Amino acid sequence: AQSVAQPEDQVNVAEGNPLTVKCTYSVSGNPYLFWYVQYPNRGLQFLLKYITGDNLVKGSYGFEAEFNKSQTSFHLKKPSALVSDSALYFCAVRDPYNFNKFYFGSGTKLNVKP
Amino acid sequence: NAGVTQTPKFQVLKTGQSMTLQCAQDMNHEYMSWYRQDPGMGLRLIHYSVGAGITDQGEVPNGYNVSRSTTEDFPLRLLSAAPSQTSVYFCASSHTPTSTGEQYFGPGTRLTVT
């Protein structure tokens, strides 16, 4: 079965500091990985994806993610956090044997303090 | 474009009642899906559709029915609501998962079953 894990329920960071939100995956086959962000009382918004190619993927709002095959990880990063980055972040993987199915992690709440 | 719209925003049902959650998109997307979001469990795929007249089951389909008579609409039906179906429901759409995979989400419906 395909799955992703987000080991941290919550991440706290001070504004201006770098942030990392962790995601590890378990996929039989080539992984197609995604990050989404959810602001309070809103639907999820796409941030970035890894399909193939460069291990460092750049996305919206200054976020980037690093794909690491040996560690089966796809951590979300940003060099300098903003208070407005505070939200719920979800990692997701597409089933490599059925592209119509996606599996999401449990989510990580990012708190950026002024 | 309105994007993905969902109605109602909130709903309270009694056990055994039935209802339909509405979802519509105006982006001419072939793929549409329904997820439920529960605390600590992330999003789980209920059903999906790859085009009018074509639907299939996701990870947690029991207790839910779907149909897709038009490209724009993808309603989710609860035939006999149970307290275990208390959740936030999100509808999403994309061109086709095989192309890009990124999905556009609606604002959600918060359902409480008493």
Side-chain angles (χ1 to χ4, degrees):
Chain A
Q2 327 299 337
S3 66
V4 291
Q6 294 180 242
E8 301 158 319
D9 290 336
Q10 186 166 300
V11 169
N12 299 312
V13 64
E15 188 174 32
N17 283 0
L19 70 87
T20 299
V21 182
K22 295 180 180 177
C23 172
T24 59
Y25 65 88
S26 175
V27 171
S28 50
N30 291 327
Y32 293 73
L33 296 156
F34 303 83
W35 275 104
Y36 287 84
V37 60
Q38 184 182 32
Y39 297 103
N41 302 312
R42 303 284 296 276
L44 278 69
Q45 297 177 33
F46 169 79
L47 275 180
L48 51 80
K49 66 185 176 189
Y50 172 82
I51 302 297
T52 187
D54 195 348
N55 290 343
L56 187 64
V57 179
K58 293 191 184 298
S60 306
Y61 312 122
F63 283 93
E64 57 190 27
E66 186 171 11
F67 172 71
N68 188 316
K69 189 172 183 177
S70 63
Q71 297 186 5
T72 62
S73 66
F74 187 57
H75 300 333
L76 182 70
K77 299 182 179 185
K78 189 174 183 182
S80 178
L82 299 173
V83 172
S84 57
D85 292 330
S86 299
L88 193 54
Y89 290 81
F90 290 97
C91 181
V93 65
R94 187 170 73 181
D95 190 328
Y97 300 107
N98 182 344
F99 281 4
N100 298 310
K101 289 188 172 181
F102 295 82
Y103 299 92
F104 282 77
S106 55
T108 298
K109 189 169 189 296
L110 174 66
N111 296 313
V112 182
K113 298 182 180 178
Chain B
N1 285 352
V4 180
T5 58
Q6 292 183 239
T7 56
K9 284 191 168 59
F10 302 94
Q11 183 70 49
V12 179
L13 288 180
K14 294 186 177 178
T15 298
Q17 286 185 319
S18 63
M19 80 159 296
T20 299
L21 307 185
Q22 301 292 344
C23 173
Q25 52 92 9
D26 61 359
M27 297 174 282
N28 202 31
H29 285 169
E30 295 178 28
Y31 178 88
M32 296 185 74
S33 57
W34 276 102
Y35 292 87
R36 58 177 291 171
Q37 182 181 23
D38 301 294
M41 302 190 73
L43 277 75
R44 291 179 292 169
L45 181 64
I46 305 172
H47 285 285
Y48 65 89
S49 168
V50 297
I54 307 170
T55 64
D56 206 345
Q57 296 181 349
E59 195 180 355
V60 289
N62 292 341
Y64 307 96
N65 279 353
V66 292
S67 60
R68 183 105 177 261
S69 56
T70 67
T71 300
E72 294 78 20
D73 301 299
F74 190 44
L76 178 72
R77 280 183 285 278
L78 285 71
L79 298 179
S80 179
S84 60
Q85 294 178 305
T86 293
S87 187
V88 181
Y89 291 85
F90 288 99
C91 179
S93 73
S94 69
H95 289 286
T96 61
T98 52
S99 59
T100 61
E102 62 201 72
Q103 298 182 73
Y104 296 80
F105 283 80
T109 294
R110 187 174 293 273
L111 175 68
T112 301
V113 183
T114 61

